[in-house]
Amino acid sequence: MLIVGGSSNAQGGAYCSVAVSVGDSGGGAPGAVTAAGTQLDAEQTGNARTIVKVAKEHGLPERAAAIALMTAMQESSMRVVKPYAGHDAAGLFQQRSVVGWGTPEQVLDPIYATGAFLYGVPSKGIPGLTTIQGWERMDMADAAEAVQVSGVGFQYKKWATFGETLAKALYGGETGTTVTCTDKTPTTLSGPAVTNVVNRGMGQLGLPYVWGGGSPSGPTTGFCSKDAGWLNGQCFAATHAGFDCSSLVQYAWWPYVHLPRVTTDQYEAGTHIKLSEVTTGDLVFWFNGPSGIYHVAMVLEGGPKMKILEAPHTGLNVRIRDLSPDESSLMSTAVRLSVPDAQAPGGKGTIPAPKGPN
């Protein structure tokens, strides 16, 4: 389910449920999986509406909005991402001022950025979606890649159905089995369910962090990559059973929600909430530019002095520690998972294909 953040119509609602999951990225992408779904918070919802509004005001067909939504979700998770050291791409579509997409301020403006994606910057020789011959008949991911020139265009494809469904809903305000809207905000999981989740996680205290290790069934050995899984010159991950950060929270939640395997997918598997709102069972994430979202932990206690359960890194064991909201790289939004029946196991989801950890 996807929450796009209520009234009873898709154009004006604060939280709209869109019955669509993230599809396989296709194109031969290694380890592609189908995530259980995603949710948009207020910021993402506002940006999605802006994209659709710009397309409609220019008289463009729904497909243009669908491609733009798909692209923005892949490029920035529908957020206005600011540039940082070593990475000058910015905004919804990760446009670069240095190559002519606009001024640093312009590319951070959702209205301008959407217009630039749709029409390009003619004065700089930069094409936009509608300037590409035959874009209406092209595969959506191919059309997006023709504008973005990312080199990994197949990655857009996993958001194609998302873009089409959301564009249709926001263009025409259609609701029903595909899109439903509500004023209700996500509730906090409590009672026996959250106790069971916490107990499953706490039961792994003291087990080693193992890169690529862990599954919904329990601890496993992992593997080593070029710069992960090694300890004192030996491939620690291949000879020890344990968890990495994402498999630990996946294991803890599995009786209720079948979380995807890796942190980037887990971040899109629930409702985004403010870090100040977290409570027991919520997930917190860490992000840096080159690595993206690289770490996840489960909240044991919320408030200004949070406590978390985490599998930290090779060389350390699963542990409980205090967490400051000001910790470096800690993301300002956390994730709250929704459970169909908070008292009964069996949340919907799919068991992901094996894939690299974190």
Side-chain angles (χ1 to χ4, degrees):
M1 180 182 291
L2 169 127
I3 303 294
V4 299
S7 67
S8 62
N9 69 79
Q11 289 181 311
Y15 292 91
C16 297
S17 300
V18 181
V20 57
S21 295
V22 183
D24 287 348
S25 57
V33 301
T34 298
T38 188
Q39 297 181 326
L40 302 186
D41 59 22
E43 176 192 354
Q44 294 170 306
T45 300
N47 291 330
R49 295 189 189 284
T50 295
I51 289 171
V52 171
K53 181 180 179 181
V54 171
K56 288 185 70 174
E57 288 181 345
H58 284 83
L60 295 175
E62 187 180 292
R63 185 173 179 81
I67 295 172
L69 289 168
M70 173 192 72
T71 305
M73 198 62 184
Q74 171 61 29
E75 292 286 0
S76 67
S77 290
M78 207 73 74
R79 298 183 186 280
V80 179
V81 178
K82 295 182 179 180
Y84 47 84
H87 185 86
D88 58 7
L92 287 176
F93 297 92
Q94 290 292 279
Q95 294 157 332
R96 302 180 64 202
S97 297
V98 295
V99 299
W101 277 105
T103 67
E105 294 75 22
Q106 285 176 323
V107 297
L108 292 174
D109 177 355
I111 295 176
Y112 174 89
T114 301
F117 174 80
L118 294 172
Y119 290 100
V121 186
S123 63
K124 300 294 184 179
I126 298 176
L129 178 66
T130 60
T131 69
I132 296 168
Q133 186 174 4
W135 70 271
E136 304 97 324
R137 300 179 298 278
M138 293 174 65
D139 174 84
M140 290 176 62
D142 290 343
E145 177 63 8
V147 179
Q148 300 295 99
V149 196
S150 68
V152 287
F154 62 84
Q155 295 283 5
Y156 299 115
K157 189 179 292 291
K158 64 175 172 282
W159 296 109
T161 303
F162 164 91
E164 290 175 322
T165 305
L166 189 53
K168 184 176 182 65
L170 297 181
Y171 243 69
E174 295 187 13
T175 58
T177 57
T178 301
V179 180
T180 56
C181 300
T182 178
D183 286 315
K184 294 181 179 180
T185 55
T187 56
T188 301
L189 181 66
S190 60
V194 74
T195 299
N196 188 30
V197 168
V198 170
N199 287 344
R200 280 173 64 87
M202 296 274 282
Q204 313 313 308
L205 284 169
L207 284 179
Y209 176 98
V210 173
W211 176 260
S215 76
S217 300
T220 70
T221 56
F223 57 89
C224 290
S225 62
K226 180 180 179 181
D227 55 0
W230 300 88
L231 186 66
N232 299 325
Q234 302 295 318
C235 183
F236 180 88
T239 57
H240 293 74
F243 292 90
D244 59 32
C245 66
S246 55
S247 65
L248 177 64
V249 297
Q250 183 193 48
Y251 171 82
W253 270 101
W254 198 258
Y256 300 93
V257 176
H258 287 191
L259 278 174
R261 176 61 176 83
V262 297
T263 54
T264 50
D265 291 337
Q266 290 175 349
Y267 183 71
E268 302 296 348
T271 302
H272 292 149
I273 60 174
K274 295 179 181 178
L275 189 62
S276 59
E277 298 173 345
V278 298
T279 189
T280 306
D282 291 337
L283 305 181
V284 290
F285 296 81
W286 285 254
F287 173 93
N288 67 30
S291 301
I293 299 176
Y294 67 90
H295 188 56
V296 60
M298 185 170 69
V299 175
L300 299 179
E301 295 180 16
K305 295 183 178 180
M306 291 181 283
K307 287 188 180 296
I308 60 170
L309 175 71
E310 68 173 354
H313 56 76
T314 301
L316 294 179
N317 297 335
V318 175
R319 67 184 182 182
I320 296 172
R321 72 172 176 95
D322 295 332
L323 176 65
S324 168
D326 300 322
E327 182 168 302
S328 176
S329 300
L330 181 64
M331 297 180 69
S332 60
T333 51
V335 167
R336 178 162 297 161
L337 300 174
S338 300
V339 181
D341 181 346
Q343 304 305 318
K348 296 180 180 179
T350 56
I351 300 176
K355 184 178 180 179
N358 298 349

